[in-house]
Amino acid sequence: METKVLNTTAQHIDTAAEILKSGGLVAIPTETVYGLAANALNAQAVKNIFVAKGRAQDNPLIVHVTSIDEIKPLVTEIPEKVYMLAEKFWPGPLTMIMKKSDLVPGEVTCGMDTVAIRVPSHKVARDIISRSGLPLAAPSANISGGVSPTTAQHCIDDLTGRVDAIVDGGSCDVGLESTVILMCNPTPRLLRPGFITKEQIESVIGKIDVDDAILNPLKDGVKPSSPGMKYKHYSPNAKVVILEGDDKAYCDYVNQHADEGVFALCFDEDAKQLKVPCICYGEHKDEKTQAAKLFSALRSMDEKGAKLVFARMPKADGVGLAVVNRLLRAAAFQVINL
Ligand code: AMP
Ligand code: MG
């Protein structure tokens, strides 16, 4: 299949919307990562997303709309706390899971009775949803298991020949996927950390639960609250090992293991002390920049031919929790305490 690369002019946005209306697949920019969009109400189009990405058949998709009013037909009920969080964080990088209505095809939710919904803030994403007049199912626009895309080039690298179009809207501001929270339990449960932090959510709706799988590998035989938790994620070709320790311990360890093909995935301040090639992804205390740069950094390690990467463990506070969550998965939970 030929893959068109579109820009963000009104004419190209119309082209993207037309492709979506006719059941096609379009990679679109959002403030989190690029999403691979299809008409969420068209079961065949949704099935094609799974094929294009090589996504596991039991890993449900997030549906994107432009306002809370558009959610009403998609769910059986909107809990009060959803309104409270929507008021504060929508449009934005927060996904809320509610009980689904019959309108949402089982293909979107992989047979689950709940549906994940988000109202993105990115202008281009919103324009494409509005112009198509459709709710759009959109997982990250990468090959499943790999690193999520934060630029159109990442989508081109992964999906050329597999999708109808890719809309180039520049690089994504947040750079990590949305925060995901299950809203149909009496106490909402954080399933995936993101740019909207646990602390921010709790300041609006009070105490929430945090799923164990956020910072720990799933135990054998345990059914995950979110099917995506059980899959390998963000894995570059290089082997990634996270080192937990201060800057001196980190740099000493890396320098003692400075063999051919060894790279450092480190904070900006560490680079001058290291004897191996460094890929920096922000300053030590700047979790937002780390979030924005992590996925590009993981992709560039492979481009540069890294074999073994020692990553510095970020602090798991605020947005840092999301950075640690993604890095742990990229490293298949391999952590050395220094
Ligand atoms: P992605 O769109 O690739 O960022 O992944 C969406 C994430 O949301 C995956 O981890 C899914 O497993 C999760 N998710 C989507 N819908 C549901 C749902 N109804 N219940 C629980 N988790 C969900
Ligand atoms: Mg994904």
Side-chain angles (χ1 to χ4, degrees), residues 270-290:
D270 301 327
K272 56 185 179 303
Q273 301 178 57
L274 290 166
K275 294 184 194 145
V276 302
C278 294
I279 296 167
C280 302
Y281 72 115
E283 289 177 11
H284 184 199
K285 295 212 167 104
D286 182 359
E287 299 91 11
K288 290 187 178 166
T289 302
Q290 291 162 21

Side-chain angles (χ1 to χ4, degrees), residues 53 55 140 142 148 233:
K53 281 183 57 98
R55 185 173 175 102
S140 51
N142 56 294
S148 296
H233 255 107

